[in-house]
Amino acid sequence: MGEHDQHHLRHHPHLLGAHSGPFGNDRFGLIAERFARFFGTPQFIIAQTALVAVWIAINVIAVSLRWDPYPFILLNLAFSTQAAYAAPLILLAATRQSDRDRLTAIADAKHREAIAELQATVLAQNSDTTDLVRKLVAEIHAHVCEPA
């Protein structure tokens, strides 16, 4: 087996090259996917929680540093802005993944059909071989068991 034969995507060559979905392999789509993946990580949640805690602490405790006093309107604006960008980026990433999944499912179905056809061919060849062996055994039996 060659190196290509051992590759885990050997039956899905469409996934080895450029993504053929509506967003292609463009830079924006790839960056959107990276952001969407990052938004769901514990690192992001922990960092955002720490940032919010520091923001609130500074604005509640340090009177001279208050740039966003209670009710923290700037913090709410920051969350709104983040959500306004995060949601479409996550949807874009999900659409790209859905397109890859669809292409993979099609390739899997084609591969299963090819295997089924190959199995049918091998089974037919096996049946033909079995019939030939049966005929040869009968001929040999007739020659061996035939009275001289």
Side-chain angles (χ1 to χ4, degrees):
M1 278 189 174
E3 182 179 321
H4 181 71
D5 293 334
Q6 294 175 349
H7 193 276
H8 70 284
L9 294 176
R10 67 185 174 276
H11 302 298
H12 308 291
H14 65 282
L15 296 177
L16 294 173
H19 180 261
S20 61
F23 302 105
N25 222 358
D26 62 290
R27 186 173 179 84
F28 180 79
L30 294 172
I31 291 170
E33 285 186 289
R34 286 189 194 122
F35 272 110
R37 283 190 193 100
F38 178 66
F39 289 146
T41 63
Q43 294 87 352
F44 173 77
I45 294 168
I46 290 168
Q48 181 167 314
T49 302
L51 180 70
V52 169
V54 168
W55 182 294
I56 292 173
I58 290 173
N59 281 283
V60 168
I61 297 168
V63 177
S64 64
L65 296 177
R66 287 186 184 166
W67 66 86
D68 187 21
Y70 183 83
F72 311 114
I73 294 177
L74 286 176
L75 182 60
N76 283 311
L77 178 61
F79 277 134
S80 297
T81 302
Q82 178 187 13
Y85 283 97
L89 291 176
I90 291 168
L91 289 173
L92 172 64
T95 300
R96 289 170 58 93
Q97 184 61 49
S98 174
D99 290 341
R100 283 191 296 270
D101 291 345
R102 180 183 53 78
L103 292 173
T104 300
I106 291 169
D108 285 344
K110 287 179 181 177
H111 183 64
R112 284 191 304 273
E113 288 298 318
I115 289 173
E117 289 174 14
L118 181 61
Q119 286 174 332
T121 301
V122 169
L123 181 61
Q125 290 173 346
N126 188 31
S127 296
D128 292 345
T129 303
T130 302
D131 288 342
L132 182 59
V133 168
R134 185 180 308 119
K135 288 176 186 174
L136 289 173
V137 166
E139 284 180 29
I140 291 171
H141 189 268
H143 286 294
V144 171
C145 295
E146 201 174 85

